[in-house]
Amino acid sequence: MLFAGHVSSTVTEDDIKCLKGIKNSLNDPDGKLSNWSFNNNSAGFLCNLVGYCQSLQTLDLSANRLSGTVPAQICSWLPYLVTLDLSSNDLSGSIPSELSNCTYLNNLVLSNNRLSGSIPEQLSGLLRLKRFSVANNDLKGAIPLSFENNSKVDFAGNSGLCGRPLGKCGNLSRKSLEIIIAAGVCGAVFSILSGFGYFWCCGRKTKCYPQAR
Amino acid sequence: MERLISVCLWLILALHLVLRVTGNAEGDALHALKNNLADPNNVLRSWDPTLDNPCRWFNVTCNNENSVTRVEVGNANLSGKLVPDLGLLTNLQYLALVGNNISGVIPEELGNLTNLVCLNLSINALTGHIPTTLGKLTKLRFLRLNNNSLTGQIPMALTTIVTLQVLDLSNNRLEGNIPINGSFSVLTPISFANNLLNFPPSTPAPTPLLPVSPTAPTSSGWSRFCSYHHC
């Protein structure tokens, strides 16, 4: 029990370093993390964060107007993450492939941000992943095959994303298709009208060339 | 008319006796536990079996029908063994006997406590296997058996408990494989550390300095605050 007392104080110091890192990696315009103060006697507030940091299994920072990128090192800080929810923030940059190191992830929710680039193939290695959403971002490229049976809803709102469960890659985008169809229709209409015009005007030579008479 | 009144009175008396008997069954079960434990600090002195029911005993909580819902006796220097009679407390929701010196096995009759939400027998000297019957606890959310001397394998039946949120089996002598299916999908190596279990090869080993369970008695004041009224 004496040893246990010593252990718990060492673990608390590492936890503070961990949380500092998370806080430093995110911009916090509303100061929501401002009460994460890193003074000597601040261990008490950690109680609100359900115990120790290395053993943190759920991190939900959703709906917070946080900006910056998803920290690539997050899985080395929090190797036992089971749920990571960063949805509905202002996060940008790409989804780090290093998220594949969070091998116990069951739920990864990144929807409603400004994430760009493609969905890393390495995320297919997350064998416990049950819930995955990147809807409403700026992602592009092919969705990794392991997600082909996911719901479309999880990928909606990314105009550049393709592949199952969305439409096939290599197809023209909807916008391009609309332009082409519109151009085709206009061209056809113009041709028909020109044709009519020609026959109506020049087919009756008397009208076109009255001087010929 | 008089006959009607006397029949009514007899019925009331009979009902009263029946109720007394039923109320006492739970008190008897807890009293059996008390008799099987050594209690040098006399923590259980309020456990008086001559009362109608155990609902006024310290560390015992009942519902509106005088049926026991919580039994919580932690860090009380109790030793001795648990009793199968505990399985009779069918409305029990919280059973926490943390940080004592209780030995012997976990009675398989605890599997009859189908209303159990929290089972915390951590930091004792329990031996033997984790009963497979615990798989019948379909409302269980917290199962803390850490810091004992439990042996044998982790029963697969536990993976069928869909309500399971927190499992701590760390610091025992369990062996065999760690299930990853069903409710165990959300469990990490932290739940299983310091046993003789087979970790899959790609598993990062849990950090050597393990977080002590928040219910452990430590010198750190805030962890005691955190553990108040949790499971």
Side-chain angles (χ1 to χ4, degrees):
Chain A
M1 283 302 130
L2 285 172
F3 176 75
H6 172 73
V7 162
S8 70
S9 66
T10 313
V11 173
T12 311
E13 279 169 33
D14 287 345
D15 298 334
I16 290 173
K17 284 182 200 158
C18 166
L19 290 170
K20 239 180 179 164
I22 293 178
K23 183 180 178 182
N24 288 341
S25 291
L26 298 172
N27 288 343
D28 177 19
D30 289 349
K32 291 288 172 73
L33 302 183
S34 60
N35 71 339
W36 285 22
S37 64
F38 297 98
N39 304 316
N40 275 342
N41 298 319
S42 60
F45 78 83
L46 287 174
C47 181
N48 295 329
L49 297 152
V50 195
Y52 305 91
C53 194
Q54 262 263 308
S55 58
L56 196 71
Q57 295 184 168
T58 298
L59 182 61
D60 181 353
L61 294 173
S62 62
N64 272 308
R65 289 167 55 192
L66 300 175
S67 57
T69 58
V70 177
Q73 320 91 306
I74 197 167
C75 295
S76 63
W77 298 332
L78 308 173
Y80 302 119
L81 273 182
V82 171
T83 295
L84 177 60
D85 188 344
L86 301 175
S87 63
S88 301
N89 280 291
D90 197 29
L91 297 170
S92 54
S94 46
I95 301 173
S97 59
E98 292 90 340
L99 280 178
S100 58
N101 292 332
C102 287
T103 51
Y104 304 100
L105 264 185
N106 278 240
N107 308 298
L108 179 55
V109 189
L110 302 172
S111 44
N112 297 298
N113 279 289
R114 293 190 292 118
L115 298 169
S116 55
S118 54
I119 301 172
E121 275 292 334
Q122 290 90 333
L123 295 187
S124 310
L126 293 173
L127 301 175
R128 301 196 191 198
L129 203 58
K130 308 272 185 317
R131 186 176 164 223
F132 177 66
S133 177
V134 292
N136 301 313
N137 278 286
D138 293 327
L139 298 167
K140 61 176 170 52
I143 297 172
L145 282 174
S146 60
F147 297 116
E148 62 181 353
N149 293 323
N150 284 35
S151 165
K152 275 192 243 183
V153 161
D154 295 333
F155 300 94
N158 292 281
S159 57
L161 267 187
C162 62
R164 294 223 216 134
L166 300 180
K168 259 199 213 171
C169 291
N171 270 1
L172 294 162
S173 72
R174 190 193 170 113
K175 196 173 176 184
S176 311
L177 268 175
E178 283 170 0
I179 292 172
I180 290 171
I181 290 170
V185 166
C186 288
V189 167
F190 179 74
S191 309
I192 291 168
L193 283 176
S194 307
F196 274 129
Y198 177 81
F199 283 115
W200 184 63
C201 173
C202 309
R204 300 192 229 159
K205 292 207 168 108
T206 49
K207 259 204 163 172
C208 278
Y209 301 105
Q211 299 92 333
R213 283 219 174 254
Chain B
M1 185 58 180
E2 280 123 0
R3 189 177 291 173
L4 185 63
I5 292 171
S6 64
V7 164
C8 281
L9 283 171
W10 275 114
L11 274 174
I12 289 167
L13 183 62
L15 190 64
H16 178 68
L17 284 170
V18 164
L19 284 173
R20 279 200 66 160
V21 165
T22 355
N24 262 340
E26 295 191 343
D28 288 347
L30 289 174
H31 191 65
L33 176 66
K34 177 181 176 180
N35 283 343
N36 230 34
L37 296 174
D39 178 18
N41 299 349
N42 222 357
V43 172
L44 304 178
R45 65 180 166 281
S46 67
W47 287 25
D48 174 4
T50 67
L51 298 180
D52 277 0
N53 55 54
C55 300
R56 279 176 297 164
W57 296 2
F58 290 165
N59 304 87
V60 176
T61 309
C62 292
N63 60 15
N64 292 342
E65 281 136 27
N66 287 335
S67 184
V68 179
T69 55
R70 298 175 83 115
V71 175
E72 294 161 298
V73 192
N75 300 315
N77 231 340
L78 300 171
S79 55
K81 302 185 182 181
L82 300 174
V83 295
D85 309 59
L86 287 171
L88 297 172
L89 304 169
T90 48
N91 287 318
L92 198 60
Q93 293 169 355
Y94 283 73
L95 178 58
L97 301 171
V98 182
N100 288 291
N101 200 18
I102 299 172
S103 56
V105 301
I106 301 171
E108 53 179 36
E109 287 81 1
L110 293 188
N112 295 336
L113 302 174
T114 49
N115 284 307
L116 210 58
V117 162
C118 158
L119 178 58
N120 190 345
L121 302 174
S122 60
I123 314 175
N124 278 290
L126 294 167
T127 56
H129 296 196
I130 301 171
T132 325
T133 51
L134 295 187
K136 295 195 289 173
L137 302 176
T138 53
K139 296 184 190 170
L140 198 65
R141 286 194 262 143
F142 306 94
L143 179 56
R144 298 190 188 269
L145 301 176
N146 53 290
N147 294 78
N148 278 289
S149 299
L150 298 170
T151 55
Q153 308 213 356
I154 301 171
M156 282 299 288
L158 295 180
T159 66
T160 64
I161 305 175
V162 296
T163 46
L164 199 61
Q165 289 173 13
V166 174
L167 175 70
D168 193 346
L169 301 178
S170 62
N171 298 295
N172 275 290
R173 303 213 195 107
L174 299 168
E175 49 189 15
N177 292 329
I178 300 174
I180 58 169
N181 57 309
S183 58
F184 277 44
S185 170
V186 299
L187 301 178
T188 71
I190 297 167
S191 297
F192 307 103
N194 279 358
N195 276 286
L196 303 165
L197 293 161
N198 304 327
F199 281 97
S202 59
T203 311
T207 48
L209 298 174
L210 282 166
V212 177
S213 158
T215 53
T218 66
S219 54
S220 158
W222 70 266
S223 69
R224 224 179 279 137
F225 172 73
C226 284
S227 69
Y228 178 70
H229 232 68
H230 282 39
C231 173

